[in-house]
């Protein structure tokens, strides 16, 4: 059947219809976005310019902060602008671009968290072989794998949504473009595509989340074989990683491991993983990692001198 598309733009209902509420959210989200960008870019610059942070763990942390900064930028600026206007619209093409970048960087970040878990597993469970296993070449290949995986994930989603016919309703009860709200507006049967979305988003999240929990379980069980100081340091690092994993995966599983539907809590969860989580990640890592704190301090002293 030939694709019919009479929709050139979508109307976003946003988070609230209250003018006072929109002004409060604008100030709050702008503050959060500023903290997000400063925190994540500070970690990226610290990893890049600090010679003591050349280990794979810090390189991966630098890439995670970079992804968080870009991921937040795919949604937040448009959300800020919409809070200033009564009518919130986004063009069809801009909606598709936002959907693609959101799932590209989100998918890549999920895979990067898996890579970071593997790095910690090798460092703690196979310390004598760590340098050999996590060589610079392997680290680059794993990072490339995360980027390619995120790209493939985003291509699958955007392919099916872009090919859908939108021939009438164009009001999205959300503050951004996402899969289920768009499927609801399509003027065709989307049950098969919905199953693909559940598989491409939900099931993948569940499988990777389960693997991460198992890997960290193995890591924590192996801590009894190392010294008390090493155990303390490993627990500090792993607890940071586990916290970030929970913050990212729990909303993902709740949103996508279910039949296609739009629930009142969806917007709150979307705020959490697109706006709050990218801000919290750098705080978690810097507050619990003395090496990062020391490197930041030395970088600041070097800049002042």
């Amino acid at each position: 059947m030939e694709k019919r598309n009479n929709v050139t733009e979508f109307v976003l209902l946003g988070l609230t219809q209250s003018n006072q509420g929109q002004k409060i959210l604008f100030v709050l989200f702008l503050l959060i976005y500023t903290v997000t960008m400063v925190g994540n870019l500070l970690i990226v610059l610290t990893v890049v310019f600090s010679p003591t942070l050349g280990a794979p763990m810090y390189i991966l942390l630098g890439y995670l902060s970079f992804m968080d900064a870009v991921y937040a930028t795919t949604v937040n600026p448009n959300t800020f602008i919409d809070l200033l206007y009564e009518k919130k619209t986004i063009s069809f093409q801009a909606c598709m671009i936002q959907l693609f970048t959101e799932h590209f960087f989100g998918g890549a970040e999920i895979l990067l968290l898996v890579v970071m878990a593997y790095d910690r597993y090798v460092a703690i469970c196979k310390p004598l072989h760590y340098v050999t296993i996590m060589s610079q070449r392997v680290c680059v290949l794993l990072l490339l794998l995360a980027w390619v995986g995120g790209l493939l994930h985003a291509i699958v989603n955007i392919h099916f949504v872009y090919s859908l016919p939108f021939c009438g309703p164009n009001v999205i009860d959300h503050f951004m473009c996402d899969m289920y709200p768009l499927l609801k507006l399509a003027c065709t049967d989307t049950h098969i595509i919905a199953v693909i979305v559940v598989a491409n988003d939900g099931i993948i999240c569940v499988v990777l989340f389960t693997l991460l929990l198992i890997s960290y379980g193995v890591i924590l069980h192996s801590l009894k074989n190392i010294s008390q100081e090493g155990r303390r340091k490993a627990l500090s690092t792993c607890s940071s990683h586990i916290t970030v994993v929970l913050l990212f995966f729990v909303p993902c599983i709740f949103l996508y491991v279910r039949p296609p539907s739009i629930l009142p809590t969806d917007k709150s969860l979307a705020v959490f993983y697109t706006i709050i989580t990218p801000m919290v990640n750098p705080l978690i890592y810097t507050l619990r990692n003395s090496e990062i704190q020391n490197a930041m301090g030395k970088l600041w002293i070097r800049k002042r001198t």
Side-chain angles (χ1 to χ4, degrees), residues 245-304:
V245 166
L246 290 174
L247 289 174
F248 208 94
F249 276 87
V250 172
C252 171
I253 292 172
F254 184 85
L255 284 171
Y256 294 110
V257 186
R258 69 179 196 222
S261 59
I262 301 175
L263 301 179
T265 55
D266 287 357
K267 286 194 274 190
S268 299
L269 283 172
V271 168
F272 190 80
Y273 72 78
T274 60
I275 297 176
I276 305 298
T277 299
M279 177 194 70
V280 173
N281 283 356
L283 296 178
I284 292 173
Y285 282 112
T286 53
L287 290 176
R288 299 187 64 87
N289 193 304
S290 58
E291 285 82 0
I292 291 286
Q293 293 176 15
N294 293 336
M296 285 182 176
K298 290 178 182 179
L299 207 61
W300 175 253
I301 294 173
R302 191 193 313 169
K303 182 181 179 182
R304 294 187 65 180

Side-chain angles (χ1 to χ4, degrees), residues 9-27:
E9 67 177 15
F10 295 103
V11 178
L12 301 170
L13 295 183
L15 289 166
T16 177
Q17 302 300 312
S18 167
N19 290 331
Q20 183 71 18
Q22 290 182 17
K23 291 176 183 177
I24 294 173
L25 287 176
F26 175 80
V27 175

Side-chain angles (χ1 to χ4, degrees), residues 30-90:
L30 184 60
L31 177 62
I32 291 174
Y33 181 66
T34 303
V35 174
T36 298
M37 296 305 292
V38 171
N40 282 296
L41 293 179
L42 184 59
I43 289 180
V44 171
L45 292 174
T46 301
V47 171
V48 170
F49 292 105
S50 297
T52 58
L53 302 181
M57 180 179 78
Y58 299 110
I59 295 174
L60 296 175
L61 176 58
Y63 271 93
L64 178 67
S65 294
F66 171 74
M67 287 184 182
D68 274 332
V70 179
Y71 183 70
T73 305
T74 62
V75 176
N76 291 358
N78 191 68
T79 303
F80 302 153
I81 295 171
D82 287 344
L83 289 170
L84 298 176
Y85 294 93
E86 184 176 348
K87 187 177 182 182
K88 306 163 181 56
T89 60
I90 183 171

Side-chain angles (χ1 to χ4, degrees), residues 66-231:
F66 171 74
M67 287 184 182
D68 274 332
V70 179
Y71 183 70
T73 305
T74 62
V75 176
N76 291 358
N78 191 68
T79 303
F80 302 153
I81 295 171
D82 287 344
L83 289 170
L84 298 176
Y85 294 93
E86 184 176 348
K87 187 177 182 182
K88 306 163 181 56
T89 60
I90 183 171
S91 69
F92 180 85
Q93 296 298 333
C95 181
M96 295 299 105
I97 291 172
Q98 185 184 81
L99 182 69
F100 176 81
T101 52
E102 173 198 344
H103 283 271
F104 172 40
F105 286 101
E109 182 161 340
I110 283 177
L111 293 174
L112 180 59
L113 291 175
V114 176
V115 173
M116 293 175 74
Y118 175 71
D119 172 73
R120 290 302 82 204
Y121 167 78
V122 175
I124 295 171
C125 299
K126 299 180 182 295
L128 298 178
H129 304 285
Y130 178 73
V131 176
T132 304
I133 296 175
M134 286 300 295
S135 63
Q136 185 176 7
R137 179 173 174 272
V138 171
C139 189
V140 171
L141 286 175
L142 291 174
L143 285 171
L144 183 61
L145 181 64
W147 285 110
V148 172
L151 179 63
L152 293 175
H153 166 74
I155 288 175
V156 170
N157 280 344
I158 200 70
H159 168 73
F160 287 106
V161 173
Y162 195 82
S163 61
L164 288 173
F166 296 94
C167 50
N170 69 333
V171 178
I172 299 177
D173 186 13
H174 214 301
F175 64 90
M176 66 178 190
C177 292
D178 205 0
M179 294 298 294
Y180 286 162
L182 288 170
L183 292 182
K184 184 180 178 181
L185 296 180
C187 50
T188 187
D189 182 31
T190 59
H191 285 90
I192 295 177
I193 297 178
V195 172
I196 295 173
V197 171
V198 171
N200 190 39
D201 293 76
I203 294 178
I204 289 178
C205 274
V206 171
V207 171
L208 294 180
F209 184 59
T210 303
L211 290 175
L212 284 170
L213 291 181
I214 293 172
S215 67
Y216 281 115
V218 172
I219 290 172
L220 294 175
H221 182 264
S222 67
L223 292 182
K224 62 183 182 181
N225 300 322
I226 63 177
S227 65
Q228 185 174 354
E229 176 62 24
R231 189 184 304 123

